[in-house]
Amino acid sequence: MTRDQRVLITGASGGIGFELAKLFAADGYQLVLVARDEERLKVAARSLRELGATSVKTFAADLSRAGAAEILVDSLGNPHIDILVNNAGYAANGRFTELDYELELGMVELNIGTLTGLTKLFVPGMVERKQGWILNVASTAAFQAGPLMSVYYATKAYVLSFSLGLREEVRKDNVFVTALCPGPTESRFANRAGMLGTRLFRGNVQSAEKVARIGYAALFAGKPFVVTGTLNKAAAFATRFVPRTLAAKLAMRAQS
């Protein structure tokens, strides 16, 4: 693996995405950063250049809009991407009947549509070159249903399932797909989702830096997926033996 390879990271201006970008920068990769906030991207880019990134390009875009993946790739000039990090995503906490309709549709578009679109656009080139890496940020939510965040949990189940399926299709082409499944993490995610006061975020919360390091190592180790943290691993494993309805009830309690 050479360090002049190009990495595209979505949701790169903060949280897990920015911490992953720092790791790639320190190893001398060329970075393409995508996020909604242009000013935060510029600040992130400056610090990443100082860390050692060979080059840093930024693109401000709302990836929750339909067709965002195609627009992004066209705007960037159909770049050669060696490593794709699908990190961007958001959640909303509340009853399905009460949450804003457009908010939840945007969540599906971002968490599933754009992730799938970018993968669809970049993976053929990786297969043709017989080399590539894809890191899809899922969640421990991928392992069960989640009342009060029903749509979010369902989108992350898709991310995990899609990642594992695609992995089997392309691994013989030397393309590696890894799903990163963190639990509650210190970032702006919880504030945007309206979850700061929930039991879930009053318990075992990991730093974005630690989650990123685990995901980074798992990607280059060729792991199919990784759950961050001992307690999160135990909880994800336990869902295999607990009735689905009981797991849903426990999740609803945690998110209240």
Side-chain angles (χ1 to χ4, degrees):
M1 187 190 312
T2 60
R3 298 308 188 194
D4 60 352
Q5 292 173 321
R6 188 176 291 118
V7 186
L8 188 150
I9 306 173
T10 65
S13 63
I16 297 171
F18 179 58
E19 293 298 333
L20 283 165
K22 287 165 64 176
L23 296 173
F24 283 110
D27 280 339
Y29 287 93
Q30 299 176 35
L31 303 180
V32 180
L33 310 179
V34 186
R36 292 184 304 158
D37 191 321
E38 187 171 6
E39 289 305 313
R40 286 177 60 88
L41 273 176
K42 290 179 180 178
V43 172
R46 285 196 293 270
S47 65
L48 293 169
R49 291 187 186 99
E50 294 173 357
L51 281 173
T54 307
S55 68
V56 183
K57 295 183 178 180
T58 62
F59 191 84
D62 182 356
L63 298 180
S64 67
R65 295 182 178 275
E70 293 89 342
I71 294 170
L72 172 62
V73 173
D74 287 344
S75 299
L76 292 172
N78 296 296
H80 172 122
I81 296 297
D82 301 285
I83 304 170
L84 173 63
V85 179
N86 285 308
N87 167 71
Y90 71 81
N93 187 36
R95 292 176 62 86
F96 177 74
T97 55
E98 297 172 359
L99 287 172
D100 181 76
Y101 179 62
E102 295 298 330
L103 179 70
E104 299 225 272
L105 285 185
M107 187 194 310
V108 173
E109 190 60 48
L110 177 59
N111 297 6
I112 294 179
T114 298
L115 178 146
T116 305
L118 289 175
T119 305
K120 187 76 170 180
L121 292 168
F122 288 125
V123 79
M126 296 178 183
V127 169
E128 183 178 347
R129 294 187 298 272
K130 299 296 182 182
Q131 187 177 67
W133 293 263
I134 300 170
L135 180 65
N136 290 328
V137 178
S139 167
T140 51
F143 296 95
Q144 64 181 89
L148 300 182
M149 294 178 67
S150 297
V151 173
Y152 174 76
Y153 272 57
T155 65
K156 292 305 181 179
Y158 171 90
V159 173
L160 178 58
S161 179
F162 170 65
S163 299
L164 293 175
L166 179 61
R167 171 188 170 83
E168 285 304 307
E169 293 184 32
V170 299
R171 64 188 180 91
K172 291 183 179 179
D173 298 302
N174 205 36
V175 177
F176 302 94
V177 183
T178 299
L180 173 59
C181 302
T185 304
E186 293 175 357
S187 70
R188 293 186 299 160
F189 172 91
N191 185 51
R192 184 179 183 186
M195 298 184 66
L196 286 178
T198 64
R199 292 183 178 89
L200 195 63
F201 275 84
R202 292 200 302 267
N204 178 38
V205 180
Q206 293 181 301
S207 69
E209 178 184 5
K210 183 174 182 179
V211 169
R213 288 189 178 280
I214 293 170
Y216 193 79
L219 176 65
F220 293 118
K223 292 185 178 181
F225 72 97
V226 61
V227 178
T228 65
T230 303
L231 291 177
N232 292 328
K233 288 178 182 177
F237 182 76
T239 60
R240 300 168 59 183
F241 305 101
V242 174
R244 288 179 180 270
T245 51
L246 176 58
K249 288 179 181 178
L250 293 174
M252 184 168 180
R253 182 175 182 274
Q255 283 148 198
S256 300

